[in-house]
Amino acid sequence: MPKPLRMNRRTWGVAWAVLCAAAVAATAVLNASPAPGQRPEKPVSAECAEYIANIETQLAEAKEEGNEDGVLAFTRTRVGADDCSDEILDHFSGDR
């Protein structure tokens, strides 16, 4: 029967310190990496930014008038206007 290995206190201390250092390093790497659900911000065109600002203004006016529970509809009728639907969804998705 093999003889069990005896480890002295210094060896245990060194092993514990190495494991702690590895855990700290792994935590730092995980904290530095972006969350899987986050997407990098895409640049928004000037026209879409202006349209989003207009929506924000109309929402603020509706809130002042007490229409928080109502439905607001926004349409774009100009031909050739940028399609800002993705930018609008990205901008307002945090408010829900």
Side-chain angles (χ1 to χ4, degrees):
M1 182 171 236
K3 202 176 187 184
L5 292 176
R6 295 187 62 192
M7 296 178 66
N8 63 17
R9 289 183 185 180
R10 182 178 297 163
T11 306
W12 279 109
V14 169
W16 180 80
V18 168
L19 287 174
C20 287
V24 168
T27 302
V29 168
L30 289 174
N31 285 339
S33 65
Q38 290 180 338
R39 292 183 290 171
E41 296 230 2
K42 296 184 284 185
V44 178
S45 70
E47 184 177 355
C48 290
E50 181 180 337
Y51 187 56
I52 290 171
N54 185 20
I55 292 172
E56 291 275 358
T57 303
Q58 291 182 31
L59 287 172
E61 289 172 0
K63 190 173 185 177
E64 286 178 7
E65 295 172 3
N67 294 336
E68 293 180 48
D69 296 333
V71 175
L72 297 174
F74 301 96
T75 60
R76 297 195 75 155
T77 56
R78 192 169 59 115
V79 176
D82 285 348
D83 179 21
C84 300
S85 58
D86 290 338
E87 288 85 352
I88 291 170
L89 288 174
D90 287 342
H91 180 78
F92 289 105
S93 65
D95 293 339
R96 295 181 180 208

